[in-house]
Amino acid sequence: MKLQIALFVSFLAGSSAYTPGGPVKAKAPQSRRDLLKGLPFLAAGVAASAANAYELPDLPYAFDALEPYIDAPTMKIHHDMHHNTYVTNINNAMKDKPAVDIRDLQADALTAAPGVRNSGGGHYNHAFFWDEMAPHDKAKNTKPSSKLQGMIDSAFGGTEKMKEEWAAKSAPGAVFGSGWVWLVVNGKDELEIVGTPNQDNPLMKGVKDEIKYPILGIDVWEHAYYLKYQNRRPEYVANWWSVVNWDKVNENLDYVLKEHKGVPVRG
Amino acid sequence: MAVHFKMISRVSSSVVRRVANRSFAAAASSPAVLPELAHPYSAYEPNISATIMEIHHSKHHATYVNNLNVNLEAAEKAAQDGDANKLISLAPAIKFNGGGHINHTLFWENLCPPSDYTAPSGAILSEIESAFGSFDAMKSEMSAKTVAVQGSGWGWLGYNTTTKKLEIATCANQDPLEATTGLKPIVGIDVWEHAYYLQYKNVRPDYVNAIWDVIDWKVAGERLEAAM
C-alpha cells in the first residue's frame, strides 16, 4: 500500500492536471466534429480532411469520484493514458479517410485497416465505459427500469443470478487475458452476457455469432484494476456494481431496442 | 551475506530447473509446485521492482499452480469415470493454467540480477548472429514484436528444431510456446500488464527495454544446447 502511494505521488509529480477532489465538468461540445454531427449532409465533404476525427471525451466526474470502488490513480491513468492512446491511434489509422462516427466504425472493424479493430474498439469501449458509471452516492439511487428488470428476470432468473453469471464470465479463468464483459441485447431482443477479448466488442461483425448491442460493460484488462486490486479481479468486479449508473443502462436499453444500433458515445 | 545468497542461488537454480523439467501429467499423485526464485524479490531492481516480483510470483504464478492442480485432479477423475465430455471441457483451463505455470517457471529462470548480467557469448551468440545478423538486431526485433502483442501474452526467443535456427515468436494469453508453435523456448518476456504495471504503467516499451539488462544468457545458452 505504501509503495502504491509512493508510486502514485511520484507519478503526480510529473503531471499537472490532477486536482484531488476537484470536480471535472464535461466539456461543452465545441469541436468541429461535434458541430458536424448536426450537419450530416455536409459531414462527408467537410470531414474528409479531418486530421483528428476522434477525441478523448472528458470523464463526467472527477478522477476520485468512483472511490473507493475504483481508485483515482487508476481512473486518471486509464483515461489520460490508455484511452488517450487509443484515440491517438485511431486518429492515425483514419487520417486520410472520411470521418465516420466511432460507433459506426465498429461493425466492419475485423476487415478494416490495421488498427481499427484495436484502437477503434478501444476508443468506443472506453467512451462507453466512462458514461455508464457514476459516483456511488448517485449510482446507489438508480436501478433497472421495470422493462430492464423484466428482461433480466426472463433471461437470468433475477438480478442475483445475472450477477453470478457476470462474475463467472468475468473471472480470470473465463476471460483468459485481456478483454471485456458485456450485457447485450441480442437479435431476438433478449439479454445475454458475453465476453470479448482484447478491444473487441459485440458490435463488431464476426466477433460473436451475430452483432449484439451492449447496454453495460466492464473492462477486465489488468490496467483497469491492477493498482488497487492487483490479481484480485473478482473483488474489482464485485465492487464495480456500486458505481453502475442504472439510469444510463436503462437509457441504453431503450435506445438499443428502438434503433437496433450500438449506443452512441462521446468523442 | 552476499556470498551466502550466491551459494543459495546456485542450489536454487538447479532446483528450479529440476522442478521445471518435472512433468505435471501425473496430476494428483505429483502435483505442480510453485518453484522458488533463485534470488530475492528485490534482486532485479531497478529493472523490475520488488513489489512486482513478489506479487507476480507469490500471487499470479501461485494461482496458476493451484488452479492447474485443481483442474488436473478433476481431469484425472473424469478420465477414471470415462467422462469424455467433462475431460474435454477442462481442456481450456488446463491449457491456461498449465501454460501459465510453464511460462512463469521459464521466465523466473531466464531472469538474473542486473549485477549478474553478462551478454551472450559462445554458441548462443553465434546462433543469434546467424539468425538475426547481430545481438542488437535480435533485441530490436524481439522488442518490437513483444511490445506489439495485443492485450495479454508473451514474447519469445525460440529455437526451431526443423530449420535449426533461432526465431522470435509471440503467444497470446498463457499459450505455451512449445505446444503452440513447436519452438523450444530460449528466452521469454511476459507482457501481461501484471508483469510491469505497478512500475511502468502503460509504457510497455520502457519495461521491455529495461528487461534486457536482467536476462540470464547463461540459462538461455543451456536451453539452446539442450534444444539443439
Side-chain angles (χ1 to χ4, degrees):
Chain A
M1 191 58 183
K2 274 202 185 126
L3 183 62
Q4 266 167 269
I5 292 171
L7 283 171
F8 172 46
V9 169
S10 66
F11 173 73
L12 278 189
S15 68
S16 50
Y18 175 77
T19 41
V24 171
K25 295 202 175 55
K27 224 189 314 213
Q30 276 166 11
S31 73
R32 175 154 59 110
R33 251 197 91 242
D34 286 308
L35 292 173
L36 284 176
K37 277 183 186 148
L39 299 163
F41 59 96
L42 282 183
V46 179
S49 60
N52 283 328
Y54 308 106
E55 48 176 47
L56 181 68
D58 279 357
L59 296 183
Y61 34 71
F63 290 120
D64 63 353
L66 306 185
E67 291 265 11
Y69 309 99
I70 304 182
D71 57 304
T74 292
M75 290 304 292
K76 179 166 173 64
I77 297 168
H78 202 175
H79 175 264
D80 288 1
M81 291 169 79
H82 290 272
H83 188 178
N84 200 20
T85 300
Y86 289 123
V87 172
T88 303
N89 290 346
I90 189 59
N91 278 330
N92 285 338
M94 297 295 290
K95 205 163 41 178
D96 301 311
K97 300 183 168 52
V100 171
D101 189 285
I102 191 67
R103 182 261 313 261
D104 298 324
L105 210 55
Q106 304 305 306
D108 295 321
L110 266 59
T111 52
V116 173
R117 180 176 186 172
N118 179 253
S119 304
H123 177 32
Y124 181 84
N125 297 341
H126 288 85
F128 180 95
F129 187 52
W130 309 134
D131 282 2
E132 75 184 16
M133 295 188 290
H136 180 61
D137 281 347
K138 171 173 176 190
K140 71 184 186 214
N141 295 321
T142 66
K143 62 183 166 82
S145 60
S146 51
K147 174 82 184 152
L148 178 55
Q149 191 63 57
M151 289 176 73
I152 288 174
D153 293 344
S154 135
F156 306 105
T159 305
E160 278 319 299
K161 291 248 168 67
M162 188 264 288
K163 288 186 177 182
E164 275 169 29
E165 185 174 326
W166 188 271
K169 289 191 164 155
S170 61
V175 178
F176 283 155
S178 309
W180 291 71
V181 175
W182 309 93
L183 182 63
V184 297
V185 172
N186 66 18
K188 299 201 287 264
D189 278 356
E190 292 160 345
L191 291 178
E192 285 179 31
I193 294 172
V194 298
T196 52
N198 298 335
Q199 293 299 345
D200 286 355
N201 61 57
L203 293 177
M204 297 177 176
K205 238 182 281 173
V207 161
K208 295 289 163 195
D209 54 334
E210 56 171 6
I211 289 181
K212 300 180 205 268
Y213 306 101
I215 62 170
L216 177 69
I218 187 171
D219 188 349
V220 289
W221 280 62
E222 286 176 325
H223 65 239
Y225 60 88
Y226 207 78
L227 295 181
K228 180 181 168 77
Y229 295 98
Q230 288 89 57
N231 66 323
R232 305 183 311 277
R233 189 198 286 179
E235 200 183 310
Y236 154 69
V237 173
N239 282 351
W240 162 84
W241 288 112
S242 297
V243 292
V244 167
N245 178 359
W246 289 101
D247 288 346
K248 180 66 165 91
V249 183
N250 295 334
E251 234 178 80
N252 290 345
L253 176 68
D254 290 345
Y255 181 88
V256 155
L257 288 176
K258 176 158 180 263
E259 306 287 339
H260 288 95
K261 288 178 88 161
V263 162
V265 298
R266 295 181 298 122
Chain B
M1 201 56 156
V3 172
H4 187 226
F5 271 132
K6 274 217 172 85
M7 284 173 64
I8 295 215
S9 74
R10 215 148 291 275
V11 170
S12 298
S13 25
S14 63
V15 166
V16 168
R17 268 189 277 282
R18 274 205 298 281
V19 168
N21 290 336
R22 182 197 308 179
S23 154
F24 53 71
S29 38
S30 170
V33 172
L34 180 70
E36 298 240 328
L37 296 197
H39 305 276
Y41 290 131
S42 58
Y44 310 88
E45 299 252 4
N47 305 67
I48 307 178
S49 73
T51 309
I52 286 179
M53 289 303 296
E54 178 166 3
I55 298 172
H56 202 175
H57 175 255
S58 69
K59 300 263 161 69
H60 289 273
H61 189 175
T63 300
Y64 290 124
V65 170
N66 293 338
N67 289 344
L68 175 61
N69 286 330
V70 163
N71 283 289
L72 284 179
E73 229 176 276
E76 210 174 285
K77 177 164 193 312
Q80 280 160 9
D81 294 347
D83 189 346
N85 274 307
K86 176 74 177 160
L87 199 55
I88 291 165
S89 74
L90 293 167
I94 291 174
K95 175 177 177 178
F96 180 58
N97 292 295
H101 178 40
I102 291 171
N103 292 339
H104 287 86
T105 301
L106 289 167
F107 185 54
W108 311 133
E109 281 188 348
N110 68 227
L111 295 179
C112 68
S115 53
D116 289 358
Y117 176 82
T118 53
S121 61
I124 189 156
L125 180 62
S126 39
E127 285 297 324
I128 286 172
E129 286 172 341
S130 145
F132 302 99
S134 70
F135 180 45
D136 280 347
M138 183 279 289
K139 284 199 289 185
S140 217
E141 184 182 327
M142 186 159 170
S143 293
K145 288 182 169 165
T146 302
V147 166
V149 167
Q150 297 290 340
S152 307
W154 290 74
W156 293 98
L157 178 64
Y159 183 71
N160 186 326
T161 51
T162 307
T163 62
K164 304 223 181 294
K165 279 176 93 74
L166 289 172
E167 284 178 33
I168 289 164
T170 58
C171 290
N173 300 327
Q174 293 299 351
D175 294 355
L177 181 71
E178 190 165 357
T180 308
T181 68
L183 296 173
K184 299 282 188 190
I186 306 299
V187 173
I189 296 178
D190 188 352
V191 287
W192 278 64
E193 286 173 326
H194 65 238
Y196 58 90
Y197 205 75
L198 294 179
Q199 184 174 0
Y200 294 94
K201 307 299 183 303
N202 75 324
V203 194
R204 191 190 270 180
D206 282 0
Y207 157 71
V208 172
N209 275 345
I211 207 172
W212 286 115
D213 290 335
V214 288
I215 295 297
D216 190 334
W217 289 104
K218 293 197 210 65
V219 166
E222 287 165 10
R223 287 177 183 166
L224 180 64
E225 205 180 302
M228 285 169 88

